[in-house]
Structure formats: structure tokens, C-alpha cells
Amino acid sequence: MRSFRAELLRSINRSTAAFALLCVGFTLFSMANAGPQHHTPLWGFQQVGIFTATLLMGRAAVVSASDFSAGTIRPWLISQPSRRSVFTGKLAGSVAIAVAVSVLVGLISFALSGVFGSVPSIGDMAVATGQLAFACTALSFFGHAVGVLTRSVPVALTITLVWILPGEKVMQGHSAELDRWLPGGVLQEITLGKLAQGSTPLGAALHSALPFVLLDLLALGLFFRRDVNS
């Protein structure tokens, strides 16, 4: 809990505020462009969801890897009772920021949706925001794990972005069963509010989030064993 609070306090700064505004602006731009394409603002909100989640994934990767690159991980370990509390606290901090940004994007988008077209119902907007928050949380798990495993900001960003953006796209379309298991693709379907035929919400959630949770458990195990300077 101490590490979680410290991570949140560290994140309350101008950079995080600017990042949140970037996500909001990105979403509003998509909603504004939905009308000329004969779609509702909610459609625009959903279309940009996976990209917002990708931005938050990159943030989580940078935050977790930068402590190793900058050497600030040692003060964290000294000030906390265990390595597990450092790992989980920093992960919880990234997830909390991801959820907070998702809610902020949802609230502002709902408040301004009338400017771009029809106003969605509160229920539909709440569901879309929840789907966005889930995707942002799952990809934050991924970014955090890769940052801890690589301990390098450029490498972590390269791996996360290459996998979620072009990597999975290359693998998609060859097998319906494989498509159902590619977590990034499933997360995109979730943010779009549609699931593959034969898939259930619970199944989609497990397929998309479980690989990243397992990767974080692997990162935690190696974090226990590896020297922070290695």
C-alpha cells in the first residue's frame, strides 16, 4: 500500500495531466470524425478505444522500465518492506492511472457528445467506458511486465508496440481459433463492443487478460531472483 500511494503521488504531475488530455483530445477527434462517416459519436469513441489503451500500455512500460534505467529502483527497494510490495504497488499505480484516464475520457466524451451528434444513453456510455477501462487495464499489465523484464525504456516500448500494433495483425486471419486467442485483437473487439462469433464476454475477458497477468507473474518471479543492477 505504501508503494502504491508513493507511485500515485509521483504520477500526479503535469506530464500525467498532459497525457490524459492527449487521450481526451484523441478521443474527441475520433468522435468528431464519426459524423462525416455517418456514424454516432459513441461509434467514434469505441473506434479509438484500442489506441487509447495502447498509449496507456506505453506509459506503464515506460514507468516500470525507467526506474531500472535511471537507477531509482534501489531507493524504492530500500524504502519498502519487500520486493513484492514494490512490484505490486507500482503495477497497481499504473492500473489506477489507466482506469482514471479511462473514466475521465468517458465523462468528457459523454458531456461533449452532443456537439458531434446524437447523445448516447447513460447505460451505453457506461458500458463503452467500462470496456475501455478493461482494455487499458489489461494492456497496462502487459506494459508493466515488459518494462520489468527488459529494464530498458526503448526495448520495452518497441516490444509492446510491435506486438499490439503490427505483430498481431500479421498473425490474424490465418486461423479462426488463433484469432480468438490473440489478446490484442480480442481487446480491440471488446472496445468496439462486439465479440467473435461463439465467444462470450467472460471468455473474451479471460482470453485477452490472462496472458498478460501470467506475464506479470513471470516478471514478479524474476524480479525476486535477479539483482536490480544486472
Side-chain angles (χ1 to χ4, degrees):
M1 183 60 70
R2 288 170 53 194
S3 183
F4 171 62
R5 289 197 299 265
E7 185 65 38
L8 284 184
L9 288 174
R10 186 175 72 160
S11 299
I12 301 176
N13 52 43
R14 293 180 180 178
S15 297
T16 301
F19 181 86
L21 290 177
L22 173 64
C23 293
V24 170
F26 203 20
T27 303
L28 294 180
F29 178 79
S30 179
M31 293 172 66
N33 282 305
Q37 300 181 61
H38 308 291
H39 291 291
T40 64
L42 180 61
W43 180 89
F45 177 89
Q46 293 172 316
Q47 291 297 310
V48 80
I50 192 62
F51 297 103
T52 302
T54 300
L55 289 175
L56 286 158
M57 172 190 65
R59 181 192 178 279
V62 169
V63 168
S64 60
S66 62
D67 282 318
F68 294 96
S69 301
T72 53
I73 190 64
R74 295 192 69 84
W76 279 92
L77 294 174
I78 293 172
S79 63
Q80 302 301 322
S82 68
R83 287 195 174 202
R84 181 178 62 183
S85 65
V86 172
F87 183 95
T88 57
K90 295 176 73 63
L91 172 59
S94 290
V95 168
I97 293 297
V99 172
V101 171
S102 300
V103 172
L104 177 66
V105 170
L107 289 174
I108 294 179
S109 298
F110 179 69
L112 298 179
S113 58
V115 177
F116 308 115
S118 61
V119 179
S121 68
I122 295 178
D124 288 343
M125 195 69 209
V127 169
T129 301
Q131 292 165 338
L132 172 63
F134 178 81
C136 292
T137 297
L139 289 186
S140 291
F141 267 81
F142 182 38
H144 178 267
V146 174
V148 173
L149 290 170
T150 62
R151 305 184 175 194
S152 167
V153 172
V155 175
L157 278 177
T158 299
I159 291 175
T160 51
L161 294 178
V162 165
W163 173 259
I164 293 299
L165 296 179
E168 286 198 9
K169 295 299 182 183
V170 172
M171 301 174 66
Q172 287 177 345
H174 301 289
S175 167
E177 189 63 29
L178 177 61
D179 289 349
R180 290 182 60 185
W181 280 94
L182 291 173
V186 178
L187 284 174
Q188 184 172 16
E189 291 178 347
I190 291 174
T191 59
L192 292 174
K194 60 181 183 180
L195 301 177
Q197 185 176 3
S199 181
T200 64
L202 178 59
L206 290 175
H207 286 176
S208 58
L210 186 58
F212 300 143
V213 173
L214 294 177
L215 187 64
D216 260 291
L217 291 176
L218 172 63
L220 175 59
L222 293 177
F223 185 59
F224 277 139
R225 300 179 63 88
R226 293 170 62 188
D227 185 85
V228 293
N229 293 320
S230 62

